[in-house]
Amino acid sequence: PAGMRVAARCWNVCGLDPTSLDGAAFASAVAEWLGEGAAASDVASVGLVEVVELKPGTVVRESFVSPEASALVAARLAAWRAALLAVLEATHELACTESLVGLALFVFTARVSAYDIAPARTCRFRTGFGGLLGNKGAVAASLAAARGADGEARTLCVVHAHLASDLDMLDQRNAEYAAIVGAATDASILSLPAALGDDDALDVLAHDVVVWQGDLNYRLASTKAPEAGLGAFLASFGPAAREAAREDDARDDAAVREALAAGDWAALAARDQLDAAIARGDAFVGFREAPKEFP
């Protein structure tokens, strides 16, 4: 509904164990991260990435057990839930949680609000290793809200995702987006859609409003144009090619650091892989992003 306030917060916590930290300092940090906007919102979604370290053994083990059956994941989720509630419980109640290996999503709804917000329904999507593993993928929550008991309901979907990393995995990131929203793409290796959903799948884009957050892993594109052809491919393994690649990387690195020092956000945004993917229609068509005016 018009005027409803949604606060989205997302952090990659790199396997941090909250129980190993000073309790008071950690609580203060969480309150600072959430900010005043979360407490003033009708819906606050908090997404965490890498709640556990994504080591191969951990990923394989946790991909095939429920979060409740995993002592490690359950302990981490409990610690983060307690820390978030300590800040928000005066103004919000926890509507739902969902997790997938290192992903965790907590959705809070305001105790006092002009909107009636129905209980959330959640879903998980695996996209790691062709849809078999949960080291990459998404969790999502679907809510319905109306202004007053007689108001017309509108639907909100919060998607919290962790997509493929590394500079050269752009096509894979786009393919994972397409798999999560249920679209078909020639670039996708995810040929078994049924393997993606652990629960009844949500039609993400069928909602009135979609908030997409997470560690999407889109990078700053290299300024070096790739050379095509078999000859260029074979030459790329030679020592001269490797040295040239290192020099190209160093120039890119220096250019990025200069732009950061000058606060030249436009120069960096011009190389943003996500912006380019949206412009080409490869992923996230119709989504709007806040201005990227930060390092």
Short mmCIF file of all heavy atoms in Angstrom, two decimals, residues 163-224:
data_model
loop_
_atom_site.label_atom_id
_atom_site.label_comp_id
_atom_site.label_asym_id
_atom_site.label_seq_id
_atom_site.Cartn_x
_atom_site.Cartn_y
_atom_site.Cartn_z
N LEU A 163 24.71 -14.64 -5.06
CA LEU A 163 24.94 -15.12 -6.41
C LEU A 163 26.42 -15.44 -6.64
O LEU A 163 27.26 -15.16 -5.80
CB LEU A 163 24.47 -14.07 -7.42
CG LEU A 163 23.01 -13.63 -7.29
CD1 LEU A 163 22.64 -12.66 -8.40
CD2 LEU A 163 22.06 -14.82 -7.26
N ALA A 164 26.70 -16.03 -7.79
CA ALA A 164 28.05 -16.49 -8.12
C ALA A 164 29.06 -15.35 -8.04
O ALA A 164 28.77 -14.22 -8.42
CB ALA A 164 28.06 -17.11 -9.51
N SER A 165 30.24 -15.66 -7.55
CA SER A 165 31.29 -14.65 -7.39
C SER A 165 32.29 -14.72 -8.55
O SER A 165 32.13 -15.51 -9.47
CB SER A 165 32.00 -14.83 -6.05
OG SER A 165 32.58 -16.12 -5.98
N ASP A 166 33.29 -13.88 -8.48
CA ASP A 166 34.39 -13.75 -9.44
C ASP A 166 33.97 -12.90 -10.64
O ASP A 166 32.83 -12.94 -11.09
CB ASP A 166 34.93 -15.09 -9.91
CG ASP A 166 35.60 -15.86 -8.78
OD1 ASP A 166 36.06 -15.21 -7.82
OD2 ASP A 166 35.65 -17.10 -8.84
N LEU A 167 34.95 -12.17 -11.15
CA LEU A 167 34.72 -11.20 -12.21
C LEU A 167 34.13 -11.83 -13.46
O LEU A 167 33.23 -11.28 -14.10
CB LEU A 167 36.04 -10.49 -12.55
CG LEU A 167 35.99 -9.43 -13.64
CD1 LEU A 167 35.11 -8.26 -13.21
CD2 LEU A 167 37.40 -8.93 -13.96
N ASP A 168 34.62 -13.03 -13.81
CA ASP A 168 34.22 -13.62 -15.09
C ASP A 168 32.96 -14.47 -15.00
O ASP A 168 32.61 -15.18 -15.95
CB ASP A 168 35.36 -14.47 -15.65
CG ASP A 168 35.77 -15.61 -14.73
OD1 ASP A 168 35.25 -15.67 -13.59
OD2 ASP A 168 36.62 -16.43 -15.12
N MET A 169 32.23 -14.40 -13.89
CA MET A 169 31.02 -15.20 -13.72
C MET A 169 29.75 -14.40 -13.96
O MET A 169 28.69 -14.71 -13.42
CB MET A 169 31.00 -15.80 -12.31
CG MET A 169 32.12 -16.78 -12.04
SD MET A 169 31.98 -18.29 -13.03
CE MET A 169 30.73 -19.17 -12.10
N LEU A 170 29.84 -13.36 -14.79
CA LEU A 170 28.69 -12.50 -15.05
C LEU A 170 27.51 -13.29 -15.62
O LEU A 170 26.38 -13.14 -15.16
CB LEU A 170 29.09 -11.38 -16.00
CG LEU A 170 27.95 -10.47 -16.50
CD1 LEU A 170 27.27 -9.78 -15.33
CD2 LEU A 170 28.50 -9.45 -17.49
N ASP A 171 27.76 -14.13 -16.63
CA ASP A 171 26.67 -14.90 -17.22
C ASP A 171 26.02 -15.82 -16.20
O ASP A 171 24.79 -16.02 -16.22
CB ASP A 171 27.19 -15.74 -18.40
CG ASP A 171 27.51 -14.88 -19.62
OD1 ASP A 171 27.04 -13.73 -19.67
OD2 ASP A 171 28.24 -15.36 -20.51
N GLN A 172 26.81 -16.38 -15.29
CA GLN A 172 26.25 -17.25 -14.26
C GLN A 172 25.37 -16.46 -13.30
O GLN A 172 24.31 -16.94 -12.89
CB GLN A 172 27.38 -17.96 -13.50
CG GLN A 172 26.90 -18.89 -12.39
CD GLN A 172 26.07 -20.05 -12.91
OE1 GLN A 172 26.16 -20.41 -14.09
NE2 GLN A 172 25.25 -20.63 -12.06
N ARG A 173 25.80 -15.25 -12.92
CA ARG A 173 24.95 -14.43 -12.05
C ARG A 173 23.61 -14.14 -12.72
O ARG A 173 22.55 -14.24 -12.09
CB ARG A 173 25.68 -13.12 -11.71
CG ARG A 173 26.82 -13.29 -10.72
CD ARG A 173 27.40 -11.97 -10.29
NE ARG A 173 28.41 -11.45 -11.21
CZ ARG A 173 29.67 -11.85 -11.25
NH1 ARG A 173 30.09 -12.82 -10.44
NH2 ARG A 173 30.54 -11.32 -12.09
N ASN A 174 23.67 -13.76 -13.99
CA ASN A 174 22.43 -13.49 -14.71
C ASN A 174 21.55 -14.73 -14.79
O ASN A 174 20.32 -14.65 -14.67
CB ASN A 174 22.75 -13.00 -16.13
CG ASN A 174 23.44 -11.65 -16.15
OD1 ASN A 174 23.38 -10.89 -15.17
ND2 ASN A 174 24.11 -11.33 -17.24
N ALA A 175 22.18 -15.89 -15.00
CA ALA A 175 21.44 -17.15 -15.08
C ALA A 175 20.80 -17.50 -13.74
O ALA A 175 19.67 -18.01 -13.70
CB ALA A 175 22.36 -18.28 -15.55
N GLU A 176 21.50 -17.24 -12.66
CA GLU A 176 20.94 -17.53 -11.35
C GLU A 176 19.75 -16.63 -11.04
O GLU A 176 18.75 -17.07 -10.47
CB GLU A 176 22.03 -17.41 -10.28
CG GLU A 176 23.05 -18.52 -10.37
CD GLU A 176 24.17 -18.38 -9.35
OE1 GLU A 176 24.37 -17.29 -8.79
OE2 GLU A 176 24.86 -19.38 -9.12
N TYR A 177 19.86 -15.36 -11.43
CA TYR A 177 18.71 -14.47 -11.28
C TYR A 177 17.51 -15.04 -12.05
O TYR A 177 16.40 -15.12 -11.52
CB TYR A 177 19.04 -13.06 -11.81
CG TYR A 177 17.80 -12.24 -12.04
CD1 TYR A 177 17.17 -11.60 -10.98
CD2 TYR A 177 17.21 -12.15 -13.31
CE1 TYR A 177 16.00 -10.87 -11.18
CE2 TYR A 177 16.05 -11.43 -13.51
CZ TYR A 177 15.45 -10.79 -12.45
OH TYR A 177 14.29 -10.10 -12.63
N ALA A 178 17.75 -15.44 -13.30
CA ALA A 178 16.66 -15.96 -14.12
C ALA A 178 16.05 -17.21 -13.51
O ALA A 178 14.83 -17.41 -13.53
CB ALA A 178 17.17 -16.26 -15.54
N ALA A 179 16.89 -18.07 -12.94
CA ALA A 179 16.39 -19.29 -12.32
C ALA A 179 15.52 -18.98 -11.11
O ALA A 179 14.49 -19.61 -10.88
CB ALA A 179 17.56 -20.19 -11.93
N ILE A 180 15.94 -18.01 -10.31
CA ILE A 180 15.19 -17.68 -9.10
C ILE A 180 13.82 -17.10 -9.44
O ILE A 180 12.82 -17.40 -8.78
CB ILE A 180 16.00 -16.70 -8.22
CG1 ILE A 180 17.23 -17.43 -7.65
CG2 ILE A 180 15.16 -16.13 -7.09
CD1 ILE A 180 18.28 -16.51 -7.06
N VAL A 181 13.75 -16.28 -10.48
CA VAL A 181 12.45 -15.71 -10.85
C VAL A 181 11.68 -16.62 -11.80
O VAL A 181 10.56 -16.29 -12.21
CB VAL A 181 12.60 -14.31 -11.48
CG1 VAL A 181 13.26 -13.36 -10.50
CG2 VAL A 181 13.37 -14.36 -12.79
N GLY A 182 12.29 -17.75 -12.18
CA GLY A 182 11.58 -18.72 -12.99
C GLY A 182 11.62 -18.46 -14.47
O GLY A 182 10.84 -19.03 -15.23
N ALA A 183 12.55 -17.61 -14.91
CA ALA A 183 12.65 -17.31 -16.34
C ALA A 183 13.55 -18.31 -17.03
O ALA A 183 14.35 -19.00 -16.40
CB ALA A 183 13.18 -15.88 -16.55
N ALA A 184 13.42 -18.40 -18.35
CA ALA A 184 14.29 -19.28 -19.14
C ALA A 184 15.43 -18.46 -19.70
O ALA A 184 15.26 -17.31 -20.08
CB ALA A 184 13.50 -19.92 -20.27
N THR A 185 16.60 -19.04 -19.75
CA THR A 185 17.76 -18.34 -20.32
C THR A 185 18.70 -19.34 -20.94
O THR A 185 18.97 -20.40 -20.38
CB THR A 185 18.50 -17.52 -19.25
OG1 THR A 185 19.73 -17.05 -19.80
CG2 THR A 185 18.79 -18.32 -18.00
N ASP A 186 19.22 -19.01 -22.11
CA ASP A 186 20.16 -19.90 -22.79
C ASP A 186 21.47 -20.01 -22.02
O ASP A 186 22.20 -20.98 -22.15
CB ASP A 186 20.45 -19.39 -24.20
CG ASP A 186 19.22 -19.50 -25.10
OD1 ASP A 186 18.36 -20.33 -24.79
OD2 ASP A 186 19.15 -18.74 -26.08
N ALA A 187 21.78 -18.97 -21.21
CA ALA A 187 23.05 -18.97 -20.49
C ALA A 187 23.02 -19.84 -19.24
O ALA A 187 24.03 -20.11 -18.64
CB ALA A 187 23.42 -17.54 -20.09
N SER A 188 21.83 -20.29 -18.85
CA SER A 188 21.70 -21.01 -17.59
C SER A 188 22.16 -22.46 -17.72
O SER A 188 21.87 -23.13 -18.70
CB SER A 188 20.24 -20.98 -17.12
OG SER A 188 20.09 -21.72 -15.93
N ILE A 189 22.89 -22.92 -16.72
CA ILE A 189 23.21 -24.34 -16.63
C ILE A 189 22.19 -25.05 -15.75
O ILE A 189 22.28 -26.25 -15.53
CB ILE A 189 24.62 -24.57 -16.05
CG1 ILE A 189 24.70 -24.09 -14.61
CG2 ILE A 189 25.68 -23.91 -16.90
CD1 ILE A 189 25.96 -24.53 -13.88
N LEU A 190 21.22 -24.30 -15.25
CA LEU A 190 20.26 -24.86 -14.31
C LEU A 190 19.11 -25.48 -15.09
O LEU A 190 18.05 -24.91 -15.27
CB LEU A 190 19.75 -23.75 -13.38
CG LEU A 190 20.87 -22.99 -12.67
CD1 LEU A 190 20.31 -21.81 -11.92
CD2 LEU A 190 21.62 -23.90 -11.73
N SER A 191 19.33 -26.68 -15.60
CA SER A 191 18.37 -27.31 -16.49
C SER A 191 17.30 -28.09 -15.75
O SER A 191 16.41 -28.66 -16.36
CB SER A 191 19.10 -28.25 -17.45
OG SER A 191 19.85 -29.22 -16.73
N LEU A 192 17.39 -28.12 -14.43
CA LEU A 192 16.40 -28.87 -13.65
C LEU A 192 15.73 -27.92 -12.66
O LEU A 192 16.08 -27.87 -11.48
CB LEU A 192 17.08 -30.02 -12.89
CG LEU A 192 17.76 -31.08 -13.75
CD1 LEU A 192 18.51 -32.07 -12.88
CD2 LEU A 192 16.72 -31.82 -14.59
N PRO A 193 14.74 -27.14 -13.10
CA PRO A 193 14.09 -26.17 -12.21
C PRO A 193 13.55 -26.80 -10.93
O PRO A 193 13.52 -26.17 -9.90
CB PRO A 193 12.97 -25.60 -13.08
CG PRO A 193 13.44 -25.82 -14.48
CD PRO A 193 14.20 -27.11 -14.45
N ALA A 194 13.12 -28.05 -11.00
CA ALA A 194 12.57 -28.68 -9.81
C ALA A 194 13.58 -28.80 -8.69
O ALA A 194 13.22 -28.90 -7.52
CB ALA A 194 12.03 -30.06 -10.16
N ALA A 195 14.86 -28.79 -9.03
CA ALA A 195 15.90 -28.91 -8.01
C ALA A 195 16.11 -27.61 -7.25
O ALA A 195 16.76 -27.59 -6.22
CB ALA A 195 17.21 -29.33 -8.65
N LEU A 196 15.54 -26.52 -7.76
CA LEU A 196 15.83 -25.23 -7.16
C LEU A 196 15.09 -25.01 -5.86
O LEU A 196 15.60 -24.47 -4.91
CB LEU A 196 15.48 -24.10 -8.14
CG LEU A 196 16.32 -24.05 -9.41
CD1 LEU A 196 15.78 -22.99 -10.34
CD2 LEU A 196 17.75 -23.76 -9.07
N GLY A 197 13.83 -25.36 -5.83
CA GLY A 197 13.01 -25.02 -4.67
C GLY A 197 13.00 -26.11 -3.63
O GLY A 197 12.78 -27.27 -3.95
N ASP A 198 13.25 -25.76 -2.39
CA ASP A 198 13.16 -26.72 -1.30
C ASP A 198 11.74 -26.79 -0.75
O ASP A 198 11.36 -27.74 -0.09
CB ASP A 198 14.13 -26.34 -0.17
CG ASP A 198 15.57 -26.50 -0.60
OD1 ASP A 198 15.99 -27.65 -0.77
OD2 ASP A 198 16.25 -25.49 -0.80
N ASP A 199 10.96 -25.76 -1.00
CA ASP A 199 9.58 -25.70 -0.51
C ASP A 199 8.70 -25.35 -1.70
O ASP A 199 9.15 -25.33 -2.84
CB ASP A 199 9.45 -24.63 0.58
CG ASP A 199 10.50 -24.82 1.67
OD1 ASP A 199 10.52 -25.90 2.27
OD2 ASP A 199 11.30 -23.89 1.88
N ASP A 200 7.42 -25.07 -1.45
CA ASP A 200 6.56 -24.60 -2.52
C ASP A 200 7.12 -23.29 -3.04
O ASP A 200 7.27 -22.32 -2.30
CB ASP A 200 5.13 -24.40 -2.00
CG ASP A 200 4.47 -25.71 -1.63
OD1 ASP A 200 4.89 -26.75 -2.18
OD2 ASP A 200 3.55 -25.71 -0.80
N ALA A 201 7.42 -23.26 -4.33
CA ALA A 201 8.08 -22.10 -4.90
C ALA A 201 7.18 -20.88 -4.90
O ALA A 201 5.96 -20.98 -5.04
CB ALA A 201 8.54 -22.42 -6.31
N LEU A 202 7.79 -19.71 -4.73
CA LEU A 202 7.09 -18.44 -4.84
C LEU A 202 7.29 -17.89 -6.24
O LEU A 202 8.39 -18.00 -6.80
CB LEU A 202 7.63 -17.43 -3.83
CG LEU A 202 7.46 -17.72 -2.35
CD1 LEU A 202 8.19 -16.67 -1.54
CD2 LEU A 202 5.99 -17.76 -1.97
N ASP A 203 6.25 -17.31 -6.80
CA ASP A 203 6.39 -16.59 -8.06
C ASP A 203 6.81 -15.17 -7.70
O ASP A 203 5.98 -14.31 -7.43
CB ASP A 203 5.05 -16.59 -8.82
CG ASP A 203 5.19 -16.02 -10.22
OD1 ASP A 203 6.22 -15.36 -10.50
OD2 ASP A 203 4.26 -16.19 -11.03
N VAL A 204 8.11 -14.95 -7.69
CA VAL A 204 8.67 -13.70 -7.18
C VAL A 204 8.08 -12.49 -7.88
O VAL A 204 7.61 -11.54 -7.25
CB VAL A 204 10.21 -13.72 -7.31
CG1 VAL A 204 10.79 -12.34 -7.02
CG2 VAL A 204 10.80 -14.76 -6.36
N LEU A 205 8.09 -12.50 -9.20
CA LEU A 205 7.71 -11.31 -9.96
C LEU A 205 6.20 -11.11 -10.04
O LEU A 205 5.74 -10.12 -10.59
CB LEU A 205 8.31 -11.37 -11.36
CG LEU A 205 9.84 -11.39 -11.43
CD1 LEU A 205 10.32 -11.36 -12.87
CD2 LEU A 205 10.44 -10.22 -10.64
N ALA A 206 5.42 -12.03 -9.48
CA ALA A 206 3.97 -11.86 -9.46
C ALA A 206 3.53 -10.93 -8.34
O ALA A 206 2.35 -10.56 -8.28
CB ALA A 206 3.28 -13.21 -9.32
N HIS A 207 4.42 -10.54 -7.46
CA HIS A 207 4.08 -9.66 -6.35
C HIS A 207 3.99 -8.20 -6.83
O HIS A 207 4.58 -7.82 -7.82
CB HIS A 207 5.12 -9.77 -5.24
CG HIS A 207 5.11 -11.10 -4.55
ND1 HIS A 207 5.61 -12.24 -5.13
CD2 HIS A 207 4.67 -11.46 -3.31
CE1 HIS A 207 5.47 -13.26 -4.28
NE2 HIS A 207 4.90 -12.82 -3.18
N ASP A 208 3.24 -7.40 -6.07
CA ASP A 208 3.12 -5.98 -6.41
C ASP A 208 4.44 -5.24 -6.24
O ASP A 208 4.77 -4.36 -7.02
CB ASP A 208 2.03 -5.31 -5.54
CG ASP A 208 0.65 -5.86 -5.83
OD1 ASP A 208 0.26 -5.88 -7.01
OD2 ASP A 208 -0.04 -6.29 -4.89
N VAL A 209 5.17 -5.60 -5.19
CA VAL A 209 6.47 -4.97 -4.92
C VAL A 209 7.47 -6.07 -4.60
O VAL A 209 7.16 -7.00 -3.84
CB VAL A 209 6.39 -3.98 -3.74
CG1 VAL A 209 7.77 -3.43 -3.41
CG2 VAL A 209 5.42 -2.84 -4.05
N VAL A 210 8.66 -5.97 -5.19
CA VAL A 210 9.74 -6.92 -4.89
C VAL A 210 10.94 -6.13 -4.40
O VAL A 210 11.39 -5.19 -5.07
CB VAL A 210 10.13 -7.75 -6.12
CG1 VAL A 210 11.26 -8.73 -5.77
CG2 VAL A 210 8.93 -8.50 -6.68
N VAL A 211 11.44 -6.49 -3.23
CA VAL A 211 12.69 -5.93 -2.71
C VAL A 211 13.74 -7.02 -2.81
O VAL A 211 13.58 -8.09 -2.22
CB VAL A 211 12.52 -5.46 -1.25
CG1 VAL A 211 13.87 -5.01 -0.68
CG2 VAL A 211 11.49 -4.34 -1.15
N TRP A 212 14.78 -6.75 -3.56
CA TRP A 212 15.84 -7.76 -3.77
C TRP A 212 17.10 -7.25 -3.09
O TRP A 212 17.61 -6.18 -3.39
CB TRP A 212 16.11 -7.95 -5.26
CG TRP A 212 16.85 -9.22 -5.58
CD1 TRP A 212 18.11 -9.55 -5.20
CD2 TRP A 212 16.36 -10.31 -6.37
NE1 TRP A 212 18.45 -10.78 -5.70
CE2 TRP A 212 17.39 -11.27 -6.42
CE3 TRP A 212 15.16 -10.56 -7.04
CZ2 TRP A 212 17.25 -12.47 -7.11
CZ3 TRP A 212 15.03 -11.76 -7.73
CH2 TRP A 212 16.06 -12.70 -7.77
N GLN A 213 17.61 -8.04 -2.16
CA GLN A 213 18.81 -7.66 -1.41
C GLN A 213 19.76 -8.83 -1.38
O GLN A 213 19.42 -9.93 -1.82
CB GLN A 213 18.43 -7.22 0.00
CG GLN A 213 17.75 -8.32 0.83
CD GLN A 213 17.31 -7.83 2.20
OE1 GLN A 213 16.43 -6.99 2.31
NE2 GLN A 213 17.93 -8.36 3.23
N GLY A 214 20.97 -8.60 -0.89
CA GLY A 214 21.90 -9.70 -0.74
C GLY A 214 23.28 -9.36 -1.27
O GLY A 214 23.59 -8.21 -1.56
N ASP A 215 24.10 -10.38 -1.40
CA ASP A 215 25.44 -10.25 -1.97
C ASP A 215 25.33 -10.74 -3.41
O ASP A 215 25.47 -11.91 -3.70
CB ASP A 215 26.43 -11.10 -1.17
CG ASP A 215 27.88 -10.84 -1.58
OD1 ASP A 215 28.08 -10.18 -2.62
OD2 ASP A 215 28.79 -11.28 -0.86
N LEU A 216 25.02 -9.81 -4.32
CA LEU A 216 24.76 -10.19 -5.71
C LEU A 216 26.05 -10.45 -6.48
O LEU A 216 26.03 -11.11 -7.52
CB LEU A 216 23.94 -9.11 -6.41
CG LEU A 216 22.64 -8.71 -5.68
CD1 LEU A 216 21.81 -7.81 -6.57
CD2 LEU A 216 21.85 -9.94 -5.26
N ASN A 217 27.17 -9.93 -5.99
CA ASN A 217 28.49 -10.24 -6.52
C ASN A 217 28.78 -9.69 -7.91
O ASN A 217 29.76 -10.09 -8.55
CB ASN A 217 28.74 -11.76 -6.51
CG ASN A 217 29.50 -12.19 -5.26
OD1 ASN A 217 30.42 -11.52 -4.84
ND2 ASN A 217 29.08 -13.29 -4.66
N TYR A 218 27.94 -8.79 -8.42
CA TYR A 218 28.31 -8.10 -9.66
C TYR A 218 29.52 -7.22 -9.38
O TYR A 218 29.61 -6.60 -8.32
CB TYR A 218 27.14 -7.27 -10.18
CG TYR A 218 26.05 -8.11 -10.79
CD1 TYR A 218 25.02 -8.63 -10.00
CD2 TYR A 218 26.04 -8.41 -12.15
CE1 TYR A 218 24.02 -9.41 -10.55
CE2 TYR A 218 25.05 -9.18 -12.71
CZ TYR A 218 24.03 -9.69 -11.91
OH TYR A 218 23.04 -10.47 -12.46
N ARG A 219 30.44 -7.14 -10.34
CA ARG A 219 31.73 -6.48 -10.14
C ARG A 219 31.88 -5.27 -11.05
O ARG A 219 30.99 -4.96 -11.84
CB ARG A 219 32.86 -7.48 -10.41
CG ARG A 219 32.75 -8.80 -9.64
CD ARG A 219 32.75 -8.60 -8.13
NE ARG A 219 32.49 -9.80 -7.38
CZ ARG A 219 33.45 -10.59 -6.86
NH1 ARG A 219 34.71 -10.31 -7.04
NH2 ARG A 219 33.11 -11.66 -6.17
N LEU A 220 33.03 -4.63 -10.95
CA LEU A 220 33.40 -3.59 -11.91
C LEU A 220 34.08 -4.27 -13.09
O LEU A 220 35.09 -4.95 -12.92
CB LEU A 220 34.36 -2.58 -11.27
CG LEU A 220 33.79 -1.75 -10.12
CD1 LEU A 220 34.85 -0.80 -9.58
CD2 LEU A 220 32.56 -0.97 -10.56
N ALA A 221 33.51 -4.08 -14.27
CA ALA A 221 34.03 -4.75 -15.46
C ALA A 221 35.43 -4.26 -15.79
O ALA A 221 35.77 -3.09 -15.58
CB ALA A 221 33.11 -4.50 -16.64
N SER A 222 36.26 -5.16 -16.32
CA SER A 222 37.59 -4.80 -16.76
C SER A 222 37.49 -3.87 -17.96
O SER A 222 36.57 -3.97 -18.77
CB SER A 222 38.37 -6.06 -17.14
OG SER A 222 39.59 -5.72 -17.75
N THR A 223 38.44 -2.96 -18.07
CA THR A 223 38.46 -2.05 -19.21
C THR A 223 39.09 -2.68 -20.44
O THR A 223 39.03 -2.12 -21.53
CB THR A 223 39.23 -0.76 -18.86
OG1 THR A 223 40.56 -1.12 -18.44
CG2 THR A 223 38.52 0.00 -17.75
N LYS A 224 39.71 -3.85 -20.28
CA LYS A 224 40.37 -4.52 -21.40
C LYS A 224 39.36 -5.33 -22.18
O LYS A 224 38.66 -6.17 -21.62
CB LYS A 224 41.49 -5.44 -20.90
CG LYS A 224 42.25 -6.14 -22.02
CD LYS A 224 43.35 -7.01 -21.45
CE LYS A 224 44.17 -7.65 -22.57
NZ LYS A 224 43.37 -8.57 -23.40
#
